[in-house]
Amino acid sequence: MTHAQGSAATLLATVSAGRRYPLAHSPLARLFDRRTTPALLGASLEVQAGDVLGIVGESGSGKSTLARLLVGLDRPSSGRVLFEGRDLSSFTAADWQRFRNRVQFVFQGAHTALNPRKTVACSLSEAFPAQPTPGALNALLAQVSLGPELLDRLPHQLSGGQKQRIGIARALARQPEVLIADEPTSALDVSVQSEIIALLQQLHRERRLTLVIISHDLGLVGAFCDRVLVMYAGRIVETGPAAQILAEPTHPYTERLVAAIPRGLAGRNRPADPPLSEAARHGGCPFEPRCSNRIPICAQDEPPEILLGDRLVACHLAPSRAIIAETNS
Amino acid sequence: MLDVVRSTETAPAAKAPGARRARPLSGLASLMRRLAGTRIGLVGLVIVGLLCLAALSAPWLPLHDPLDLMMEHRLEPPGASFLLGTDEMGRDIFARLVWGARGSLMIGVLTVAIGLSGGLLVGTLSGYYSGTLVESVLLGLMDIFAAIPLLVWAIAIVGIFGTGPVQLGPLLLPNEAKIVLLVGLLFIPGLARVAHGLALVEAKADYVAARRLQGAGAWSIMASDILPNILSPIFVQASVLIGIGIIIEASLSFIGLGVQPPTPSWGGMLADARSLAFSDEWWVATWPGLAIFLAVIGFNLVGDALRTVLDPRRRDGGPAL
Amino acid sequence: MTAPALSLTDLSIAFGPEIAARKVVHGVTLHVMAGEKLAIVGESGSGKSVTALAVMHQLGRAGRIVGGAMRLDGQDITSLPESACRELRGRKVAMIFQDPMTALNPAFTVGRQLVDAIRSHDDPGRKAAQQQAEELLAKVGIDDPRRRSGQYPHELSGGMRQRVLIAMAIACRPRLLIADEPTTALDVTVQAQVVALLRDICASSGIALLFISHNLDLVAEFCDRIAVMYRGRIVESGSAEAIFGAPRHPYTRLLLDAVPRPGRPLRAAAPAPLAESPGEGACDYFSRCRLADVDCHVRPALRGAGTHLSACWRSLT
């Protein structure tokens, strides 16, 4: 992140990419009303080839906006998005074509991910650059463990898990190197969820597919990803190896997230999380109103990102807490 | 208009090389069969079908001449020689109704065809380009257009061009064509609004984003993804508008701006019967009124049935819930 | 011993027309005592929500009870006239739903909606109802209830809205609170708070809770007993400790393994059907079960010693 971008294996990167949406809907109204709402405030990240990166955060944290920027569905209003060191905004049509072949997206398995009036065969055929042969379609379905009998079905005739597999197959049609998945399992039952995760893991193993998984479920991301990026209020607040972040979260928000993961019997009688005040903040640390460790400076200065070992944390207290943790151990 | 339904339905199957079996029923025949499967659809189809049949076969039916003034038979009640009676000028009402159906139905269908093509185009474009200048301009134009009431338009047009045929280059446009064009254009804003709302939702759907990530162009996405998904609710709206088109034509003819006498039209017949409405000669006003009523009901029923039948989830025994 | 707050005996529910009825719940028996927290866990289509809707008499026109009985506080509620149903809903049983966005009317302030809920049963008068509304909001952990009650639903976060809905649900002091996936639409941190709130309310007011979820890890944290449903039948039921500690049904095991948990490698779930089901009378789980054999051609009944029951011939031990 803070290291210079452009190491050989870096595929995708953002450099303090931000996105603000105008409040006014029409361009005419925008002439008079220039107010905007920020969805993402300066996020920097790097995706290396072969990475399994998880992006976690609650709704409104900007994680989906970041994902849409990464795949070119949306343009940043500040900062840059780079693919192999080149800014997406400088892409020509041919560049986009190549980019689409290498970076693909899996949508949340909700009902709108597939066109309700198109058969599976039709939806998948469109995903290929040229009209595929029947054999290619069957092979694509086989990659996501589905049989060719589904080809002439319509989306409403598929189960939730099947729909999500079709969604993954559609993204795989161009044999991309990077797959970005936005909440790939949140619309599914737990048992189906684990099947989809197993499928993604298998794709990563067998095809060295680089994966970026966006989720609100830290448990899922922690169990699946190598590296985790925690987002809060449009900012990245903590980055680091998944195992470390789950075992000893540094940022107080990450701490909260980890504590909130349901743990079955082990989670019985754990102290209740105090309700949080939800006041909006301008200036200072975005998490300050909800933070139980806050100190006066938190209300004034936005914390810088501090590098602690493998981790990057945006918290004023992170260095002192790291020292305490070290002396304790 | 029904052709569009067919093409969107068969297109996926045709494009699907891996498809094992074709869908058992496809196209217009299947749509009709599914429509007839619902009770209201069946009744609607029967009414509309009978009206269309009568209108089409008018020249070959054993009818009196609708223009023939049989002064000796003025205001004869319904009976053996004149099935539905005669009017003030001794013309056979049944014959005039059947011949009038040609004009009324044609005007109803043509106006909606114009409104539908314009409305779908404007609505899809403005919905897809939501938040851009395209949307603002298109919807603004629609608002301006819709702000002037129909009657004002009609009087203005007839005032400028008169009630006679208009020479337009090599074409001689009959007065009916002016009416059709006018009413059709006036249907566009309403249909465009509905289409815009529907297209807006579809344009935000993930499958549209997925198409964009495949590098599909705007026109291709609009034609193959957005349009097919907004067609069915629009068709429902349109089938109801056919009835309204018939009523508008009747009202314009009623006030003398529509189909010109002596050509028979339902609205014109009603206008002629104005003075007899509450007299003993009840049949003169009743039959054309009933014909308008039947046609409107018929198209409305078909529209209602379309709503059910065109829902993709209701098709071929998918999950009921 | 008092009668259970809710008791379902051999309840069966079917959908569709009389001639082509599709049974979706087959002979479900369960009891919830006052103050007790029972969870029904299962995947979508397992019949867990339908069972809850049946208790609320909210099956709609297509669904109906085709067998068994429901008792609330000892009173038979299997078939009730509409007027009695209204009396039942709200005063005796209340329900909170998955989506707190659509369950509140966007046109009215939350205070107004809460006051209406209070006054719809024993009307204490506007002033007193207002007072009660604010007390309720405070009780569900909303700070500054006076200001909040003047706000509209869109001004509140999802977690706040769910709290308001809980306040509305307990406004008439029901005997039973049904929560149908109340946290699925919420963020994890908010989920933990809502669950803690439900737990506290049951503890302090003696309301029985029927919690519907697909997440075993979540319900095991705070529910006393768990019933696992599969294809309209209860396949395992028992205390949370028993089910979580020693699951007997392979489906329960699958559900437990399927939840990703930090510090434990993910185990891939069984892929889609392993085997064709041998027929109508066979165990419903046959096609997905790794342990299935010829015994399983006959559907096992729910059995076991004590309170831990399971419907499997090859119960895991």
Side-chain angles (χ1 to χ4, degrees), chain A residues 8 11 83 100 113 156 166 191 208 277 282 286:
Chain A
L11 281 173
F83 180 63
R100 303 260 178 259
H156 74 267
I166 300 290
S191 51
R208 269 192 56 74
S277 76
H282 301 287

Side-chain angles (χ1 to χ4, degrees), chain C residues 18-32:
Chain C
E18 205 86 36
I19 36 163
R22 201 162 44 90
K23 240 179 163 186
V24 291
V25 171
H26 307 259
V28 160
T29 299
L30 54 82
H31 309 277
V32 198

Side-chain angles (χ1 to χ4, degrees), chain A residues 1 5 12-21 38-46 61-72 74-82 87-89 229 231 233-236 302 305:
Chain A
M1 288 196 135
Q5 24 104 358
L12 266 173
T14 62
V15 183
S16 48
R19 183 69 171 103
R20 306 181 75 90
Y21 292 106
L40 184 66
L41 297 156
S44 300
L45 67 88
E46 278 186 7
S61 62
K63 56 187 195 303
S64 289
T65 307
L66 183 56
R68 293 173 72 86
L69 291 185
L70 279 177
V71 78
D74 202 352
R75 309 282 151 88
S77 43
S78 62
R80 291 180 298 158
V81 182
L82 307 173
D87 197 326
L88 293 196
S89 63
L229 211 135
M231 295 194 67
R235 294 170 182 81
I236 299 173
E302 198 176 318
E305 293 188 328

